[in-house]
Amino acid sequence: MELTLEDVENLATGALFVSCSVDHESCFNFHDRILSMLTSTDKVARLVNFEDMDPDDLVVVIGFVNKGLPLTELVPVGDEFTTGISLLEQELGTRISAVVPLAAGNVNALVPVLVGLQTGLPTIDSDPMGRVFPLLSQSTLNLAGLSPGPFAVVGATGDSGVIRVTDSLRADHIIRAMAAEFGGWVATVSYPTSAARIQDALIHGTLSQLIRIGKILNSQMSTTDKYSSLSRQFGVRRLTRACVVDVEGLSRPFPRNQPDHPTSATLVDNVQGHIVRLEIQNEILLVMIDGAVEAVVPDIVTILRTEDAGVASLEDLWIGNEVDILTMPAAALWYTPEGLRLAGPDSHRLHGARRRKR
Amino acid sequence: MTIRRAAVELADLLNTPDFDDVTEHHRMSHSHVVRDVAFVTDIEDISNVGPGTIVVLDESAAHGGWLLSGALRYAWERHAAALIVPDDALAISVLELAKRLDVNFLSSPRAMSRMVLDIAIGIGRLQAATESRIITLRQRIEDAPDIVTAVGLISRELGGCLVQANSSGTLIASAGKPPPASQSARVTSSPRPFESPVELVALVPNQQLEFAHNALNAAVPTARIMLLTDELEAIQKALPLLSMVTLTGLGFARSMQPDTDRFADAMHIPSHKPHVAVCLLVADSSHDVALFSSPVYHVWRRAFKGSPLSRMDGGWITFLSVDAVGTATSDAIAHTLTERVVEPLRAIGVAVGISTIGNDERIASDLAGEAWLAAKVARPNAAATFDRISQPLLSRLIPRELAQRLVGVYFPRLQADSQFNELARCAVAYLDCVGSVSATATRLGLHRNTVQARLRRITELGVNLTEPDSSLTQHLILTAATRCDGV
């Protein structure tokens, strides 16, 4: 499938919808670069499935990993991933055949599309998170026991390297340390694995799902109709419409290795007076309404603008602003005992936060 | 860790110097009793606490606003008495949630492990004081001469609040006044065969509810014994009367042997002074009369202490001096009995019959018979005098079940008709109106043609309403068969 300009537009919107974070700018930046290449060159962005791949093809996972600094503060030059791919090909002595996004959300959902345009490599319509988690190790590839290394890292100033490591958690620590040293983020090319082997360890159809979500949100439908369509097609549930009344930093103990500080926001539902509490760390991890847990990681939680169902960022949580809070179920794998152990509430130091059964 | 304690008022606990360092961030709009204290070190443990528990949240379980929000929610769902957290854990958003959920929310700089022990000690001390008051009250009630005094003692202990003793829905004794915005504490004695349970009710301010409940619980066994004692005394005094009742031939207490020479004295009827026989029957014959003995004896004693009631099949009978009633006509006597006996016993549904006035003990059995007949025709919750029994009332002497069986014998085709009730009422009205179709139509609110059609149908079903010899029988049976209960 060749991505059109409209597909890229919708992909960017869907990527922001499933990863409500502070930094939307970098997503827009990559979106603009892709559109520029699509309109000014005859190159095409290809989205493929594993059926289109040879089982022996070498596939890599690509994406940014940061350590406290958003990409907008130190804008990527644009050759970071092509450099990383070359480094890894030299290390392995094999050509890479396709790329997989590190996470189907935010800027990392767009990275493989741009890299595909730069290198001619197709992007596989799958990812190892089905959303965005803060840690590299919180992936289905780790659950499947695949080795992340050897992997290539490239920094904003051209620093690069190849790391030979097999443990996901160890890889997380090293990459995070290098990100801090390289200037705040690194471009990673990891999990070099054959198509046959990596296929069973990924969540499939995630990028095309983002395109469908973006298509609904970018349509001319009314806000109510957009919510209805999202609910019917993706199980999205609007939890409440509420006004921000308080934002507090360091609202709970700092989880180990997490890139950002815990924060919480308190909102009040102006109609029924419900008190809504959001616990945030990179993403919105927990939603409580009147003290009852309504959504908790691995549930996907996002906020939209009330007037047009436009995707809002965490910066929209300013006191007095009214937003819609929505939740969407994550991939089924994350609700298994193994999935919850790796990326559930306890891994974010939200011990005891359990959603009520409906 | 949960320490089990009995119920005390949260306000009583906190208003002691031991808890001066506790800050109340939100106090519930109504008072709350405390039964337990729980020390929670893991947020999920709150989901197991019982109602009335003070939840003390350990520092480790209170680290983070979302944990406090969750704790408040659990506390609200579990009807906890209060949530106490370390001062350091407070956040404005959490205070708002406490107000919204209306949960008692407190904080203290004290170590929470120390706090839970101090609360446990405080609850124990208050519980001991409460039990001491209850024991003292129970002893005073046991020394009381009667249930009226006992109820007064309970009311005084509850600060003059309204306290009532009831039996079978009948008010036996009452003392005090209801306070504003009161709630009721209600305790009933355990039901036993052939005994009406005693119910004690107190209307008290909400914060006294728990204590009132305990006080009533302590008093109810004594109240029950007091009522049973009243009943026993009444039965002892009435024993000679039972023998007299046998003489009337109405079938009461046939095993008793009469002792006619001593009747006049036993009946407390001054010789040659006017008196009436009075019969009380429970209107719903399916009830066992013994269940209502306590309230009936009590109400009767309150109204006419010198004239003991005697139990008989389906009710009670006695002889009442006209002087004791304070009036000389049977209608006035009926009015007094309605006021003093029938109305207080309205919950039971008693029919009272009054004989004609006599002044010779030798005709006592005749008077008893008159009173019984009058009671049989009286409506529930009403008094009837023998000399006022009218012909229409006589149909009430035939029980409805018997009348329905008689209809089946005499008028089987009429009874089998699907419109039996309408046809029977038409027949009764037609006989009442001495055969006038127009008057019957007016009385039933029907058109003449409808009445004529029904009369034709009645005749087709084999009932001839024009024969003078059978019209009285037809009237009595059909009236009794179509009579509604309670009318």
Side-chain angles (χ1 to χ4, degrees):
Chain A
M1 166 188 176
E2 286 185 14
L3 295 179
T4 63
L5 295 176
E6 189 188 355
D7 288 336
V8 174
E9 194 85 36
N10 294 335
L11 177 63
T13 305
L16 291 174
F17 175 85
V18 297
S19 62
C20 181
S21 62
V22 174
D23 178 25
H24 281 191
E25 201 54 46
S26 55
C27 201
F28 296 140
N29 183 302
F30 268 70
H31 158 262
D32 293 346
R33 291 188 196 197
I34 294 168
L35 289 190
S36 171
M37 286 195 75
L38 280 175
T39 51
S40 61
T41 68
D42 56 357
K43 293 181 176 175
V44 293
R46 287 186 295 139
L47 193 63
V48 299
N49 295 313
F50 277 99
E51 289 78 29
D52 307 320
M53 306 291 297
D54 188 281
D56 293 329
D57 283 348
L58 185 65
V59 174
V60 290
V61 175
I62 61 173
F64 285 108
V65 174
N66 77 342
K67 178 63 178 175
L69 188 73
L71 296 180
T72 43
E73 300 289 324
L74 188 62
V75 181
V77 173
D79 64 353
E80 288 85 357
F81 288 101
T82 52
T83 304
I85 287 170
S86 299
L87 281 173
L88 205 55
E89 284 179 340
Q90 286 170 28
E91 169 73 14
L92 297 168
T94 313
R95 298 288 295 176
I96 290 168
S97 302
V99 288
V100 169
L102 180 59
N106 212 328
V107 67
N108 280 336
L110 295 171
V111 162
V113 179
L114 181 63
V115 170
L117 286 168
Q118 291 170 328
T119 61
L121 293 174
T123 301
I124 297 178
D125 186 10
S126 307
D127 86 298
M129 292 186 182
R131 48 159 296 157
V132 175
F133 285 117
L135 302 182
L136 189 74
S137 56
Q138 288 170 322
S139 77
T140 55
L141 299 170
N142 185 15
L143 279 179
L146 297 185
S147 167
F151 60 81
V153 288
V154 181
T157 54
D159 298 330
S160 64
V162 174
I163 312 294
R164 297 179 192 89
V165 68
T166 53
D167 180 69
S168 290
L169 203 58
R170 179 69 183 147
D172 225 340
H173 293 180
I174 292 170
I175 289 176
R176 207 68 69 176
M178 293 181 83
E181 194 58 36
F182 280 16
W185 54 260
V186 286
T188 64
V189 182
S190 58
Y191 286 100
T193 316
S194 68
R197 189 146 182 243
I198 203 171
Q199 179 177 3
D200 295 337
L202 293 171
I203 301 165
H204 302 296
T206 47
L207 293 183
S208 51
Q209 175 172 293
L210 296 184
I211 294 172
R212 293 202 305 277
I213 289 173
K215 190 174 182 182
I216 292 170
L217 292 171
N218 291 336
S219 71
Q220 296 302 310
M221 287 191 285
S222 67
T223 302
T224 311
D225 289 343
K226 286 178 184 176
Y227 290 166
S228 300
S229 296
L230 290 171
S231 172
R232 274 198 309 276
Q233 294 185 40
F234 306 105
V236 172
R237 194 160 54 91
R238 197 185 83 158
L239 295 175
T240 185
R241 172 171 291 185
C243 191
V244 182
V245 294
D246 188 34
V247 178
E248 61 179 302
L250 279 179
S251 59
R252 62 183 188 284
F254 196 103
R256 189 165 174 262
N257 297 323
Q258 294 274 342
D260 286 322
H261 293 254
T263 310
S264 77
T266 306
L267 303 90
V268 173
D269 165 359
N270 288 330
V271 178
Q272 299 185 48
H274 293 306
I275 295 176
V276 183
R277 188 179 183 95
L278 304 179
E279 285 296 319
I280 301 159
Q281 188 153 9
N282 298 309
E283 318 287 329
I284 300 173
L285 304 178
L286 170 70
V287 184
M288 295 176 107
I289 297 183
D290 286 342
V293 176
E294 289 293 330
V296 63
V297 65
D299 296 339
I300 298 167
V301 179
T302 193
I303 56 176
L304 298 183
R305 292 194 297 265
T306 54
E307 60 272 21
D308 60 355
V311 180
S313 78
L314 294 178
E315 289 196 329
D316 288 291
L317 291 175
W318 44 269
I319 292 173
N321 192 26
E322 189 177 57
V323 293
D324 283 331
I325 301 171
L326 296 92
T327 183
M328 176 179 158
L333 192 67
W334 293 119
Y335 297 98
T336 61
E338 297 77 22
L340 286 171
R341 204 173 302 125
L342 189 62
D346 291 356
S347 70
H348 296 83
R349 295 196 71 163
L350 293 171
H351 304 287
R354 301 282 181 270
R355 181 156 42 87
R356 311 293 169 93
K357 286 183 179 165
R358 292 179 176 279
Chain B
M1 180 181 70
T2 300
I3 300 169
R4 187 78 193 167
R5 290 287 183 272
V8 298
E9 282 291 328
L10 180 65
D12 295 342
L13 180 70
L14 296 177
N15 292 339
T16 57
D18 293 343
F19 298 100
D20 278 349
D21 64 340
V22 171
T23 308
E24 286 184 26
H25 299 287
H26 177 68
R27 176 67 81 88
M28 285 170 70
S29 47
H30 58 277
S31 74
H32 213 300
V33 294
V34 178
R35 298 180 190 281
D36 288 333
V37 57
F39 187 42
V40 170
T41 52
D42 184 329
I43 186 75
E44 286 186 282
D45 287 348
I46 306 182
S47 61
N48 297 321
V49 304
T53 302
I54 293 181
V55 178
V56 180
L57 212 57
D58 182 41
E59 285 82 353
S60 62
H63 204 144
W66 78 272
L67 281 166
L68 293 190
S69 298
L72 278 168
R73 176 72 182 208
Y74 279 128
W76 174 70
E77 287 178 356
R78 303 298 299 170
H79 298 282
L83 177 67
I84 303 183
V85 302
D87 272 351
D88 298 343
L90 288 175
I92 294 171
S93 57
V94 177
L95 301 184
E96 289 302 316
L97 185 59
K99 288 178 196 164
R100 174 165 172 76
L101 298 176
D102 198 17
V103 173
N104 287 316
F105 188 47
L106 315 141
S107 73
S108 167
R110 200 182 315 181
M112 291 295 108
S113 53
R114 180 70 226 173
M115 174 66 75
V116 74
L117 290 173
D118 291 341
I119 290 173
I121 292 165
I123 291 173
R125 194 164 49 221
L126 284 171
Q127 174 60 19
T130 302
E131 283 190 4
S132 170
R133 274 177 73 187
I134 295 291
I135 290 167
T136 308
L137 175 65
R138 185 163 57 206
Q139 286 167 346
R140 293 216 307 273
I141 290 171
E142 283 170 1
D143 293 340
D146 52 41
I147 194 164
V148 176
T149 312
V151 166
L153 286 171
I154 302 170
S155 172
R156 204 174 312 149
E157 187 66 36
L158 296 175
C161 294
L162 180 67
V163 178
Q164 292 181 332
N166 301 309
S167 181
S168 298
T170 302
L171 180 66
I172 304 297
S174 176
K177 290 180 180 174
S182 57
Q183 293 204 5
S184 67
R186 201 174 286 269
V187 173
T188 307
S189 65
S190 308
R192 292 154 201 258
F194 312 112
E195 183 187 321
S196 48
V198 181
E199 182 191 52
L200 293 178
V201 184
L203 290 181
V204 292
N206 193 41
Q207 64 270 21
Q208 261 192 301
L209 200 59
E210 187 72 20
F211 178 76
H213 192 80
N214 289 338
L216 298 185
N217 252 329
V220 81
T222 309
R224 173 178 160 264
I225 289 167
M226 284 172 167
L227 277 185
L228 287 175
T229 306
D230 281 357
E231 186 179 342
L232 188 62
E233 280 177 14
I235 291 170
Q236 281 175 335
K237 286 179 182 172
L239 277 175
L241 270 178
L242 279 171
S243 303
M244 191 289 300
V245 168
T246 310
L247 278 183
T248 64
L250 294 172
F252 320 127
R254 291 182 190 285
S255 60
M256 302 301 297
Q257 292 302 314
D259 185 358
T260 52
D261 293 341
R262 293 164 60 189
F263 278 162
D265 290 341
M267 287 187 294
H268 303 276
I269 303 172
S271 296
H272 308 297
K273 283 199 171 179
H275 58 270
V276 291
V278 177
C279 178
L280 281 68
L281 296 179
V282 175
D284 188 345
S285 55
S286 63
H287 285 146
D288 190 330
V289 173
L291 278 176
F292 306 117
S293 288
S294 286
V296 169
Y297 280 124
H298 190 86
V299 167
W300 184 264
R301 267 163 57 90
R302 202 166 55 194
F304 307 106
K305 195 169 184 181
S307 307
L309 274 181
S310 178
R311 270 280 304 281
M312 57 177 236
D313 291 345
W316 300 265
I317 196 162
T318 188
F319 289 88
L320 195 56
S321 161
V322 170
D323 290 345
V325 187
T327 182
T329 66
S330 55
D331 281 350
I333 293 169
H335 179 75
T336 305
L337 279 164
T338 301
E339 202 171 75
R340 294 196 205 169
V341 178
V342 173
E343 282 304 321
L345 293 172
R346 178 164 281 278
I348 297 173
V350 169
V352 174
I354 303 158
S355 72
T356 53
I357 297 173
N359 57 6
D360 186 348
E361 63 271 22
R362 285 172 299 182
I363 62 164
S365 60
D366 295 338
L367 296 183
E370 288 178 10
W372 181 80
L373 282 169
K376 289 292 281 183
V377 301
R379 292 170 187 274
N381 293 320
T385 56
F386 180 76
D387 52 8
R388 293 285 185 180
I389 295 176
S390 57
Q391 185 266 332
L393 283 177
L394 283 174
S395 66
R396 300 183 70 84
L397 291 172
I398 306 174
R400 192 172 71 156
E401 295 74 17
L402 174 61
Q404 285 169 344
R405 285 206 297 275
L406 289 172
V407 171
V409 173
Y410 291 118
F411 319 118
R413 290 172 59 203
L414 177 67
Q415 190 182 47
D417 193 277
S418 62
Q419 303 297 314
F420 168 73
N421 282 328
E422 286 81 3
L423 295 176
R425 288 198 181 94
C426 181
V428 170
Y430 180 72
L431 292 170
D432 282 343
C433 297
V434 206
S436 165
V437 174
S438 300
T440 305
T442 305
R443 169 176 287 205
L444 294 176
L446 298 171
H447 193 274
R448 267 178 58 87
N449 292 348
T450 307
V451 172
Q452 280 176 329
R454 288 187 183 177
L455 291 172
R456 274 199 300 278
R457 180 68 182 151
I458 291 167
T459 308
E460 286 168 13
L461 293 171
V463 183
N464 187 349
L465 298 175
T466 59
E467 286 182 10
D469 290 348
S470 57
S471 59
L472 178 61
T473 311
Q474 289 165 344
H475 189 278
L476 281 173
I477 291 175
L478 291 176
T479 303
T482 56
R483 188 175 68 229
C484 295
D485 284 338
V487 176

